[in-house]
Structure formats: structure tokens, C-alpha cells
């Protein structure tokens, strides 16, 4: 199927239209007539761009006849646009004015890849984000970007959602918002459910694949994602966004902005609420969020406060659906229930549920309840066109719990004393427990930028501290006696100090060749004190010192063709779970990644294409092998050798003024060498070791592709066919075909129409029809292998996506 799609797509391409005219000219300072080197110029709506040289000169060659808007940007200068009606060659003299106020872009410039960086990256601007923002969570807005795969617990893209890039999960992807770390310091994960409707407040997103450039926070061990909230809007605005759709999905959002006031202040805000029942049984989500920013924008200074706050309550759908339930295998379901000693109610729930919406959890209040607040204070100062500084203080507060009903729990496991009723000793009870996380994360970041015509250098760093409490409470028990309810039966704390300093330089060796070097030193002190939920003492302390160098070359053949190559080393410390679950006599080692990237880009007004080759070689990667600790819990173990290698292809085709096609494909190999699987032997209460040799890394498809065909038949009407292909994914590291997710090819249809009544700036109507062919597919899964009664068995869970469903939206702009 995948090969046929590529073949049909290529055969459908028409002959490219050769361009006819040339645009050239010079960019200078309007006040001083100084030539400006490094100004970025682009023909809006096309892929054509140019950068001014040391004499301020630029050129666009072979541009077709037509009307264009030329956009020019340069740090420290006001944006410039000029309309062109191209019927002959143009020779332009562009004069840029120094900015009256400083731009928000300086806030994130230290961690972003620029157009001439030897990095593999993809960017979404504000317009592209909003075109894809129908009310689903942020991962689904990124779904068509290269090498990315999304997941959804509820099957609708609302609630618990996530993504992987090149097969690396979110705990190995560095995520920042305005340069501030979003990854949890202990688990390394990011939970987008905590900030619902975040996309409505974003101005742009940059995704760097591979190690990328230096970032604060968690190690970029496969990719980094840099989010930036709204830039200064010069003029007042207000808006309302509402969506209604399948599975009782509702989204309502209101936003406003004052524009730049006379005192150079600007205020922006947003309130959002999203509800959905979910496709999976009892997978409802109730989500709320708020965004507020207040900024002072001077000619040389920005002082900006940002608040992001979100709360979520989701019914748990974490277990997934066993494959025997998906396949309607009644005997397999009975065996699963028997092997795990399920009671009659639990077994009947499995047997009588819908095969694609089954949920193991049936307790009415089996919920996850959490709130997260981000407070950020940014200050940037523009000393001159050469020197800029940016600093930020931040504080992130998170608190919440998940609640579960448990049957036949031993008193001793909860520090309960036995009770005697009518002469009978009771030491088992049904109960309801809550597991809490209460954490504080705070720190400071800073960077100093020096920029000349030949060089851009950045010196920066950060120091952060995480302080988190993990504890559990029993809030009800069928038999409690005098035992205290709502007193923690376990409590452990995590304290983590994380600091880094980096220096990086992009230096122009010649008019066409740039060299890049990036050196980062990172130090970590992490201590855990207290007991885990199984009453083990997990107290321990760890220190790390990491050196993460990167280097690369970028070559500009001409304004249409460029190439780059880079090499980087990244180090990653084990997570809290890796340390918590390991035995005292075994300590997981930090992981190391050697990343090689080689890319080529071709850009013109009708057609742009990129090809990137990568080889990511891991040392001591932590993976699931099936090995367990002394109390029978699964642990992650280091494997000596593993790698990811692949080729990423992407292109944009402007077939004519009404029809565009954007597509990307990734072909990869993701392997563990000399893999040893450990299987629990329930018959003999030990483990068997099986040498499997080279196996596939779990949840790492060898083929990923996406396609978006956009057609604009009339003014203000747009139709897009959005297609996604994901190859086979193994849900463990054994390469066992049974433990895998079948390849899938899913298609969505997006329709939007904009009207401009006198009373409003605009009203946009949108309709997103997801999975238009009701493809039955799953995006994520897990598996546990064991031996029982002499037979190999598997316990597993898979996460299906909903069949054909829709979201209808109305966006009103005042």
C-alpha cells in the first residue's frame, strides 16, 4: 500500500513551470544607509527566500510572472513588506527602519535553529498552527510533521495524548515553552493534557530532529520541540472559538489583546474549556486552561510576564485493550481472566464489552486529577545591533492525584493493624486509594548574543531545582477499624538540581560556507528520600557531569540549493522510575547518543524538497528487557549497543494557484544488537533468558509518511485531504509479530470557509472529519510476556482510534 501511494503521488506530478524573472537589490539602514548583512527575505506564500550578503545584496532568480508580497526581517529592525507585480526583472533598494519596540523573537533566539544552521528542523507558524487547531490536543496539530507519530488513550485526540519522533518517546524529547523546560524533571515526560488548548496561545513551533541545538532542561535525546507563545500584536483584537463534535466533544475559548498601548504596554489573555466523553468506554475528559501575558515593549527592552495554567480531570484509560478482546477470541479472554485470577465482574466486563472500546477500569471515580501552573518573567535588552541579552525567571507548580479502587488488599501493605470482629481476624479489605504528586520547579535562564556580519555567538546557561513529594493515601476502606484513613502509607521526596552552561558560534568561513560549533556542560545532583508504595526504602543520591558537543557545516550553493552536515553527542541521566524500580545492588547507567546528520534542501517558488540522512548510535540505552527486581516489578536495563538510522524526505509542491501538495516520508531501521529477553516463569517462580540477537526497538515504525493536498476552488474556501501512514510497530523489544501494531493508513478531511461581515474582522467556519474511511487501527500498545502451565503467554493492551468522527468549529475575530 505504502509503495503504491508513493508511486501514484509521483506519477501525478505535472511538469514544473520554469520561472522567467529575477528580483535583486540591496538592504540597508534607512537612517544611516549602512548595508545590512544577513537580512532574511521571502516571497510570502512561496518557498523562495534569500539572505543579504556582506554588501547588503540579495537575489531571487527564475521567479514566475505574477503578484507577490516581499517580506524582509532583520533583528533590531521593523518588519518590511512590499507588493510586487512581476512582469519584468526588478532591482530594489530596501531601507529598513530600526525598531520602535523590541521583538519577542529575542526571547527564544538562544535555543532556536536558524535558516543557516546545520540542523534538521521543521517550523509551524501561527497561521499553520491555527489552521490545524480544531480542538484536539497539541500532538495532533503536529501529526503531519516529519517522522512523528501521535497517540491517544481515549481514541479521539482529546485527553491523554502524546507523540514520538523517529521512534523516540516524549521522555527523550526536550520540550520548552519560551525557552523554559516543560519536561518533568524526574520522569522526563511532558503531559500536554495539563495545558489544554495550548495551541490557541502559540505563535510558532520549531521541531528539531536529532540532538539539535543547545536547550535547557531534559536531554534532547532524539528531538527537541520549542514552543513560543503569542508575540506582540500591535493592534487590539478579540476572538471566540467554539467547536462541537462526536462523542460529546465541546471546546469553547475566548481570547483578547489590547495591542500596544501608549505606555508601551500590551496585555493578552485566553480562557478555554474542553469536554469530551472519548471513544473508549469511560474515557471522559474535563479540561480547563487560562493564558495571560503582560509586557512592556521598549525600543531596547522587553519585560514580559506570562501565566499558563491548566487543570484536567480524565477517567483512566491507561490499560488499553487486550488483543484477545480486539480479535473477539473468547477462549483467549477466558484464559487471560483465569491466569490473572480475575473475579466474575471483571471477567464479564471483558467478555461483554465492545471489542474496540473496552476499558478494564469500571470504578465510577477511576480518575486522574491534576493542575499545573507556569509562571514566567522574561527580560531582554538590546545593547546594540551586535549585543543582546535575554534572561528569565520561572516557577512551575503542579499538584494532583489519581484515584483507584482496589480489592482484597493486605493490611500490612498499607501499614494497617489487623482488626478482630466477632472473634474473626480481618487482614484483607477492599479500599480506595489516591496516589499524589506535589511538586515545585523553579530556576533562571540567561543568554548573551553577539552578532556581526560574519559571526553569531551565544553564551548562555540555566540553573533549576525540582522539589517533589510522592505519597499515597487510603480515603476509604471496607474494613478499617481504628486504622487512620487519609494518612500517607508511603512518602518519598525528590530533589534535583540541574544546571548547564553553553557556548555556540555560527561563523561564516566564506560567502557560501558556515561553520557551527556548540559546546554544553551540564551538571545534575539528584536525591530521593523515603519509601515507595511497596514500602521499600528507595533513598539514594546521584551526581552527573555531562559534556555535550555539537559541530557542523552549512553550505549555500545558491539561493535555491543548500547542504549541511553535523555531528553531536548527547548524554541522558536515568529517570526516577529507572532508579526507583532497580534493586539496591544494580544502578542503571546514563545513556549516550552519537548523532550524525547529513541533509540537502532545494527551494524555489513552485517546488521545495529536502532529504536528510541520519544515524543515531546509542551506548547503554535503557530499554525494557523483561527483567524484574527482587519484588517482581519490571525494570529498565542498559543495552550495550543500539541504533536508529534512516532517510527523511519532504517536499512542497505548488501545482498552481489553487492546488498545493505537501508530503514527507521516513524510511528507517531501529535496532538493538545482541538483545536478551527475560521471561517470567510463573511455574517455577524464576526467569528464563533467551538470546534473540538483533531485534527492533519497540514503538519505532520503519516507515512513516504524511500527505496534505490542499485545494482552494474559490476565494476563502479551502479543502484539505490529510493522510497518514505508519508502518508496523512492535510493542516490546522481541520482534515477535504477535506483539505488534499493524500498519495503518488513515485519512482526514478538513474544510474551512471564511466570511468577512461588516460587524467583524472575520468569521471562519471549519469542519474536520477524522478517519473518513473508518479505518480500524491502533496507535500505541504494551505487552508483558510470561510462561504459565508450560505455555508462553502474553498480557497486553492496545489503544484504538475512533472510526469516522467530526469536529465543527466557528472562529469569530473582532
Amino acid at each position: 500500500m505504502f509503495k503504491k501511494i508513493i508511486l501514484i503521488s509521483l506519477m501525478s506530478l505535472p511538469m514544473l513551470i520554469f520561472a522567467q524573472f529575477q528580483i535583486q537589490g540591496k538592504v540597508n539602514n534607512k537612517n544611516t544607509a549602512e548595508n545590512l548583512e544577513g537580512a532574511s527575505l521571502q516571497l510570502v506564500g512561496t518557498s523562495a527566500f534569500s539572505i543579504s550578503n556582506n554588501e547588503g545584496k540579495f537575489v531571487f532568480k527564475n521567479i514566475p510572472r505574477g503578484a507577490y508580497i516581499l517580506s524582509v526581517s532583520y533583528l533590531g529592525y521593523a518588519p518590511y513588506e512590499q507588493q510586487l507585480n512581476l512582469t519584468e526583472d526588478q532591482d530594489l533598494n530596501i531601507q529598513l527602519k530600526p525598531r520602535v519596540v523590541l521583538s519577542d523573537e529575542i526571547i527564544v533566539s538562544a535555543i532556536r535553529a536558524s535558516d543557516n544552521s546545520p540542523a534538521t528542523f521543521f517550523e509551524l507558524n501561527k497561521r499553520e498552527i491555527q489552521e490545524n487547531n480544531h480542538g484536539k490536543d497539541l500532538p495532533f496539530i503536529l501529526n503531519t510533521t516529519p517522522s512523528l507519530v501521535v497517540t491517544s488513550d481515549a481514541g479521539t485526540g482529546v485527553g491523554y495524548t502524546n507523540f514520538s519522533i523517529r521512534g523516540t518517546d516524549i521522555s527523550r524529547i526536550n520540550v520548552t515553552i519560551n525557552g523554559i523546560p516543560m519536561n518533568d524533571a524526574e520522569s522526563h515526560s511532558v503531559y500536554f493534557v495539563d495545558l489544554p488548548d495550548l495551541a490557541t496561545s502559540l505563535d510558532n513551533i520549531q521541531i528539531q530532529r536529532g540532538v539539535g541545538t543547545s536547550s535547557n532542561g531534559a536531554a534532547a535525546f532524539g528531538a527537541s520541540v520549542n514552543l513560543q507563545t503569542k508575540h506582540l500584536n500591535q493592534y487590539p483584537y478579540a476572538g471566540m472559538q467554539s467547536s462541537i463534535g462526536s462523542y460529546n466533544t465541546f471546546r469553547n475559548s475566548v481570547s483578547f489583546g489590547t495591542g500596544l498601548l501608549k505606555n508601551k504596554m500590551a496585555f493578552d489573555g485566553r480562557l478555554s474549556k474542553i469536554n469530551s466523553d472519548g471513544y473508549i468506554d469511560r474515557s471522559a475528559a474535563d479540561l480547563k486552561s487560562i493564558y495571560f501575558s503582560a509586557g512592556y515593549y521598549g525600543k531596547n527592552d522587553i519585560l514580559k510576564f506570562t501565566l499558563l495554567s491548566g487543570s484536567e480531570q480524565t477517567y483512566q484509560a491507561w490499560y488499553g485493550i487486550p488483543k484477545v478482546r480486539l480479535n473477539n477470541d473468547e477462549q483467549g479472554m477466558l484464559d487471560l481472566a483465569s491466569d490473572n485470577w480475575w473475579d466474575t465482574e471483571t471477567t464479564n466486563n471483558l467478555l461483554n464489552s465492545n471489542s474496540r472500546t473496552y476499558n478494564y477500569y469500571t470504578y465510577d471515580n477511576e480518575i486522574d486529577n491534576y493542575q499545573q501552573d507556569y509562571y514566567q518573567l522574561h527580560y531582554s535588552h538590546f545593547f546594540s545591533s551586535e549585543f543582546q541579552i535575554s534572561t528569565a525567571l520561572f516557577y512551575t507548580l503542579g499538584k494532583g492525584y489519581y484515584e483507584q479502587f482496589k480489592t482484597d488488599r493486605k493490611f500490612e501493605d498499607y501499614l494497617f493493624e489487623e482488626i478482630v470482629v466477632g472473634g474473626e481476624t480481618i487482614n484483607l479489605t477492599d479500599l480506595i486509594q489516591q496516589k499524589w504528586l506535589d511538586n515545585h520547579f523553579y530556576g533562571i535562564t540567561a543568554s548573551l548574543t553577539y552578532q556581526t556580519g560574519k559571526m553569531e555567538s551565544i553564551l548562555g546557561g540555566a540553573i533549576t531545582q525540582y522539589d517533589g513529594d510522592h505519597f499515597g493515601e487510603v480515603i476509604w476502606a471496607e474494613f478499617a477499624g481504628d486504622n487512620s484513613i487519609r494518612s500517607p502509607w508511603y512518602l518519598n521526596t525528590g530533589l534535583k538540581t540541574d544546571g548547564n552552561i553553553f557556548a555556540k558560534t555560527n561563523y561564516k568561513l566564506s560567502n557560501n560556507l558556515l561553520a557551527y560549533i556548540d559546546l554544553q556542560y551540564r551538571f545534575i545532583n539528584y536525591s530521593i528520600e523515603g519509601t515507595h508504595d511497596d514500602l521499600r526504602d528507595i533513598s539514594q543520591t546521584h551526581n552527573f557531569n555531562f559534556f555535550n558537543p555539537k559541530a557542523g557545516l552549512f553550505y549555500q550553493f545558491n539561493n535555491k540549493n543548500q547542504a549541511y552536515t553535523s555531528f553531536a553527542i548527547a548524554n541522558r541521566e536515568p529517570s526516577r522510575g529507572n532508579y526507583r524500580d532497580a534493586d539496591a545492588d544494580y544502578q542503571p547507567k546514563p545513556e549516550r547518543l552519537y548523532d550524525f546528520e547529513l541533509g540537502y534542501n532545494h527551494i524555489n517558488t513552485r517546488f521545495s524538497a529536502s532529504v536528510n540522512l541520519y544515524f543515531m548510535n546509542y551506548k547503554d540505552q535503557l530499554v525494557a528487557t523483561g527483567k524484574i527486581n527482587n519484588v517482581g516489578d519490571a525494570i529498565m536495563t542498559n543495552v550495550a549497543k543500539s541504533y536508529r538510522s534512516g532517510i527523511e524526505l519532504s517536499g512542497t509542491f505548488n501545482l498552481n494557484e489553487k492546488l498545493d501538495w505537501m508530503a514527507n516520508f521516513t524510511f528507517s531501521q531501529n535496532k538493538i544488537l545482541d538483545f536478551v529477553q527475560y521471561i517470567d516463569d510463573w511455574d517455577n517462580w524464576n526467569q528464563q533468558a533467551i538470546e534473540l540477537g538483533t531485534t527492533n526497538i519497540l514503538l519505532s515504525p520503519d516507515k512513516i509518511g504524511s500527505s496534505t493536498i490542499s485545494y482552494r476552488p474559490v476565494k476563502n474556501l479551502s479543502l484539505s485531504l490529510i493522510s497518514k501512514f505508519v508502518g508496523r510497530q512492535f510493542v516490546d523489544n522481541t520482534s515477535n509479530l504477535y506483539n505488534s501494531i499493524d500498519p495503518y493508513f488513515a485519512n482526514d478531511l478538513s474544510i474551512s470557509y471564511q466570511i468577512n461581515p461588516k460587524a467583524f474582522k472575520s468569521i471562519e467556519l471549519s469542519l474536520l472529519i477524522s478517519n473518513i474511511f473508518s479505518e480500524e487501527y491502533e496507535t500505541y500498545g504494551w505487552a508483558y510476556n510470561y510462561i504459565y502451565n508450560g505455555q508462553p503467554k502474553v498480557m497486553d493492551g492496545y489503544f484504538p482510534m475512533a472510526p469516522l468522527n467530526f469536529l465543527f468549529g466557528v472562529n469569530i475575530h473582532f
Side-chain angles (χ1 to χ4, degrees), residues 101-104 126 203 229-239 255-261 264-269 291 293 295 297 304 761 813-814:
V101 297
L102 197 57
S103 167
D104 294 77
K126 183 177 181 179
D203 188 88
T229 55
K230 287 186 175 181
H231 284 181
L232 169 65
N233 195 317
Q234 295 278 349
Y235 304 102
Y237 69 91
S255 55
F256 75 90
T258 63
L260 188 63
L261 303 174
K264 297 185 179 180
M265 295 287 293
F267 300 88
D268 296 90
Y291 166 81
S293 71
Y297 294 84
K304 187 174 183 178
K761 287 183 179 178
H813 302 280
F814 300 96

Side-chain angles (χ1 to χ4, degrees), residues 200-218:
T200 301
S201 297
L202 294 181
D203 188 88
N204 58 80
I205 303 170
Q206 184 180 90
I207 302 173
Q208 299 177 30
R209 304 190 297 280
V211 171
T213 60
S214 283
S215 294
N216 302 314

